[in-house]
Amino acid sequence: MVIETKYLTKLYGNKLGCQDICLSVSEGQVFGFLGPNGAGKSTLVKILMGLITPTSGEARLLGRPLGDLEVRKRIGFLPENFRYQDWLTGYELLSFHADLYRLPPNRKEARIKDVLEMVGLTGREGHRIRTYSRGMQQRIGLASALLPDPDLLFLDEPTSALDPLGRKEVREIILHQKSRGKTVFLNSHFLSEVELVCDRVAIIKKSQVVAQGSLEELRSGNITLDMRVGGITEGLLQALDQMGCPHKREGEKLWVEVAREEDIPLVAQRVVQHGGLIYQLTPTGNSLENLFVNLVEEGGE
Amino acid sequence: MGTIIQLTLKEVLRRRIFLVIALLTIGFLVLYGVALYYTGKKFVIKPTGMSANDAIKLVIYPQMLALGLYFSSMIVSLLAIFTAVGTISGELDSGILHSIVPKPLRRGEIVLGKYVGYGLILVIYTSILFLSIIGLVYFFTGYYAGNIIPALLYYLLLSLTLLALAMLGSTMLSTIANGVAVFMLYSIGTIGGMMEQIASMMNNEALTNIGIISSLIIPTDAIYRMMITSVLLNDSNPVNLLNMGPFGSQHPPSEAMMAYIVIYLLLALWGAKKVLKEGYLMA
């Protein structure tokens, strides 16, 4: 396990930051952490990064307890509110972070060049950070997180200031890390982005984890087929009962629930067999966004 | 820790405020020098009996020195406060510390690194200022204050103590709140010190107690008194002139006070590290 948390809790006086968070992430995974604003995403990341101390619970990163200094040499972090000393040049900032990571001097130069290239800032490192746009600042932040070639990379809203092209580049960096067996923990609001790069996802609501699993597991909740069918008969409805598919009917509108994607053509066949005329068939509820919205809405399950 | 020290030094040297302070200090020294020049001149012209003039010189010159040291100690104090007042709170607000804290270094290293970085600049600046004042007095009036090195060390201790206090405040308060708080503490210390002076001239116990309490809350004035005692009361100046004027020292603070000050400084730094570790302002 690269990340392991057991009942991690943070209380601010009476207010809950996060509660009983149990997560596990194994090596080489890209793990997505989702939740509405104020749910506790950043609180969790800050606890793992050692910025705040948990009220109770424990966690291990790369097999070491929180606070272990040695293991931090292998962890990279891009904070949500990234800001850097604007009186430094990009190069000086990377040099500063490289020194903090205790990179050996013979590797330092080469690494700085490499990460600049990875984030597309080669040629800009000589300018002061105060001249950088917000997107460039996020890129230099990402570069500094990549400096130690981290085995574990924490990215907190890493594309918030980037245009679509920039976001694509960050996705490529994440996938590149994954292809090299590195682990990435991603906090993001962009569900579509999470769907494109993550293997496993956890959803947090009101300081608690409400869902956790692989993307496939999470997306394969029940699928509702939104249909408009002419000529619905009792026989047709009974056939659906026999298939074990709950359904609801309003005139020509028919909603049928199926457990898996593979059942959709079977339902269509059965409807046609019983003389139904299918004018419309739209599967819904099979995306991360729907799951997220359902879970996170007030009074959601 | 060395990395943080280096960065802190870079930060101070690149800030324009540093240049402004340097220029203002030169302005202050020029003004002081001019004042000394005219003071010195006045006593050279009059050809009357040497002994009367010498006696007056022995009173006025030390006063001029004490005046110079008093106001420059204020400059140095304010510099110490305002350099460090936002060092941690500002970086927390801006998010800069969020990328430093998760690195492989201890919280104490961050606090100490900043302290040493700012401290180095303060020590250099303070030494130049102190020696300039001593030098200017000697140059224009021929009055040489003895015991310079111990006095310089007290002078440095003054700025370093305030620096530690400002850093502690910076972990707990916003930049402006911290500036106000430390400045007010410093003012309490200054006023308390004056009261103690007046009190011992008047033998008023209540005022003396107030003075002592304020020295415990903030010992910066006590440090000043130690310094001025060291400069004015030594082998070169056997006459006790300390009773005269508000810039001197009626009863120089004791050695116990010295120990207290050192503990005070160390506690402030330790406190800063502790509060930073709790992540109070980081959420």
Side-chain angles (χ1 to χ4, degrees):
Chain A
M1 282 296 142
V2 166
I3 303 177
E4 209 175 346
T5 77
K6 291 195 183 135
Y7 301 103
L8 217 49
T9 305
K10 177 69 183 176
L11 274 168
Y12 294 108
N14 280 333
K15 206 179 137 234
L16 273 171
C18 63
Q19 194 183 31
D20 293 329
I21 308 283
C22 298
L23 296 176
S24 54
V25 181
S26 33
E27 199 179 340
Q29 261 184 9
V30 180
F31 189 88
F33 201 47
L34 303 169
N37 293 328
K41 293 197 309 294
S42 282
T43 307
L44 177 74
V45 172
K46 283 179 182 169
I47 293 176
L48 292 177
M49 288 294 92
L51 289 169
I52 54 186
T53 47
T55 313
S56 63
E58 38 180 70
R60 296 180 88 81
L61 296 177
L62 291 166
R64 307 289 305 154
L66 290 182
D68 184 283
L69 290 183
E70 199 52 38
V71 85
R72 288 183 182 184
K73 291 184 190 170
R74 300 158 57 200
I75 301 180
F77 174 47
L78 175 60
E80 182 182 7
N81 41 348
F82 54 90
R83 274 288 295 275
Y84 304 100
Q85 295 86 338
D86 62 8
W87 37 271
L88 288 175
T89 64
Y91 181 87
E92 285 170 337
L93 179 76
L94 291 177
S95 178
F96 170 58
H97 282 242
D99 288 338
L100 287 179
Y101 271 124
R102 326 245 169 165
L103 279 188
N106 53 356
R107 267 189 76 203
K108 195 169 123 173
E109 284 300 318
R111 250 344 258 172
I112 293 180
K113 262 181 87 177
D114 285 342
V115 298
L116 280 170
E117 191 159 338
M118 281 170 86
V119 301
L121 280 178
T122 310
R124 309 291 204 106
E125 69 272 20
H127 303 150
R128 303 255 168 133
I129 292 185
R130 77 166 60 97
T131 65
Y132 284 18
S133 69
R134 190 135 174 85
M136 286 167 75
Q137 287 188 33
Q138 194 163 43
R139 285 172 195 261
I140 200 87
L142 182 57
S144 76
L146 291 167
L147 271 171
D149 195 14
D151 294 326
L152 175 55
L153 184 61
F154 278 88
L155 300 174
D156 201 343
E157 307 285 354
T159 60
S160 55
L162 299 179
D163 61 21
L165 188 59
R167 282 191 232 135
K168 179 162 177 285
E169 288 166 9
V170 170
R171 285 201 298 274
E172 282 165 8
I173 292 175
I174 295 175
L175 291 173
H176 179 66
Q177 289 294 99
K178 178 178 158 163
S179 72
R180 297 171 59 225
K182 312 286 190 176
T183 313
V184 179
F185 185 99
L186 175 66
N187 254 0
S188 181
H189 277 139
F190 295 113
L191 296 177
S192 47
E193 212 166 69
V194 168
E195 277 186 298
L196 283 171
V197 297
C198 292
D199 305 311
R200 286 178 66 87
V201 159
I203 300 180
I204 185 171
K205 173 186 170 184
K206 289 200 178 137
S207 77
Q208 285 180 307
V209 171
V210 293
Q212 189 179 163
S214 71
L215 266 186
E216 268 137 35
E217 282 167 21
L218 288 180
R219 280 196 291 213
S220 65
N222 282 341
I223 304 168
T224 303
L225 300 177
D226 191 349
M227 301 172 71
R228 192 162 65 87
V229 178
I232 299 175
T233 59
E234 265 310 307
L236 195 163
L237 296 175
Q238 276 170 7
L240 288 176
D241 285 332
Q242 276 170 0
M243 279 180 77
C245 292
H247 51 86
K248 192 174 91 168
R249 179 202 171 174
E250 253 175 44
E252 278 193 343
K253 295 288 288 174
L254 184 65
W255 290 272
V256 182
E257 246 183 66
V258 293
R260 311 163 311 171
E261 223 180 23
E262 290 78 7
D263 292 341
I264 298 179
L266 295 175
V267 166
Q269 276 171 9
R270 203 54 67 91
V271 167
V272 167
Q273 269 167 10
H274 283 87
L277 301 165
I278 302 179
Y279 292 102
Q280 180 194 310
L281 194 162
T282 310
T284 61
N286 188 20
S287 78
L288 192 60
E289 184 172 347
N290 276 326
L291 173 68
F292 182 82
V293 166
N294 282 333
L295 277 176
V296 149
E297 244 170 357
E298 280 310 301
E301 4 165 15
Chain B
M1 189 174 88
T3 316
I4 303 277
I5 296 177
Q6 264 181 13
L7 187 80
T8 310
L9 288 172
K10 230 184 228 168
E11 179 192 337
V12 174
L13 293 173
R14 281 202 194 168
R15 275 204 211 149
R16 256 174 249 145
I17 194 83
F18 180 71
L19 196 61
V20 170
I21 289 173
L23 288 173
L24 286 175
T25 308
I26 292 175
F28 167 77
L29 287 172
V30 165
L31 210 66
Y32 186 62
V34 166
L36 284 172
Y37 172 70
Y38 283 109
T39 315
K41 220 170 147 196
K42 198 171 160 96
F43 288 104
V44 167
I45 293 177
K46 295 232 164 83
T48 52
M50 287 300 276
S51 57
N53 250 354
D54 281 345
I56 295 174
K57 274 190 213 175
L58 275 173
V59 169
I60 297 295
Y61 290 161
Q63 287 292 315
M64 292 296 290
L65 176 64
L67 182 91
L69 288 176
Y70 189 80
F71 282 109
S72 58
S73 80
M74 279 186 72
I75 294 176
V76 160
S77 301
L78 291 174
L79 186 64
I81 297 175
F82 290 110
T83 306
V85 78
T87 184
I88 290 178
S89 54
E91 290 192 355
L92 279 171
D93 275 342
S94 66
I96 285 178
L97 266 182
H98 287 216
S99 57
I100 297 182
V101 166
K103 296 286 198 295
L105 84 172
R106 279 183 217 91
R107 222 59 66 96
E109 285 179 71
I110 299 178
V111 170
L112 258 183
K114 283 174 177 283
Y115 185 72
V116 171
Y118 292 130
L120 266 172
I121 304 269
L122 265 181
V123 162
I124 294 173
Y125 173 85
T126 306
S127 305
I128 293 176
L129 186 60
F130 179 78
L131 294 171
S132 302
I133 300 219
I134 303 275
L136 280 172
V137 170
Y138 178 66
F139 181 75
F140 284 113
T141 69
Y143 174 70
Y144 179 69
N147 240 7
I148 304 253
I149 304 289
L152 175 60
L153 291 176
Y154 284 125
Y155 209 55
L156 294 175
L157 185 63
L158 177 65
S159 52
L160 291 176
T161 305
L162 274 171
L163 183 64
L165 196 60
M167 283 198 67
L168 173 63
S170 194
T171 59
M172 300 190 291
L173 302 167
S174 76
T175 305
I176 294 187
N178 188 27
V180 170
V182 181
F183 182 71
M184 284 185 68
L185 273 177
Y186 172 72
S187 308
I188 289 173
T190 308
I191 294 171
M194 294 254 174
M195 279 198 211
E196 215 175 333
Q197 294 297 353
I198 298 170
S200 39
M201 281 199 267
M202 286 166 40
N203 269 330
N204 181 325
E205 198 172 319
L207 274 180
T208 309
N209 286 338
I210 292 177
I212 292 174
I213 291 172
S214 77
S215 284
L216 289 175
I217 297 174
I218 174 128
T220 46
D221 199 76
I223 302 175
Y224 170 79
R225 304 288 162 196
M226 284 188 215
M227 175 200 58
I228 204 75
T229 307
S230 162
V231 162
L232 294 183
L233 186 69
N234 49 52
D235 293 331
S236 319
N237 305 292
V239 177
N240 186 338
L241 307 140
L242 293 173
N243 296 336
M244 318 224 174
F247 305 127
S249 178
Q250 290 283 328
H251 295 295
S254 64
E255 268 146 25
M257 193 56 180
M258 188 64 193
Y260 176 75
I261 290 166
V262 173
I263 294 175
Y264 186 91
L265 198 163
L266 292 173
L267 262 178
L269 285 178
W270 179 84
K273 177 206 110 167
K274 204 84 177 103
V275 175
L276 191 60
K277 197 156 182 168
E278 284 308 305
Y280 172 61
L281 285 176
M282 253 187 279

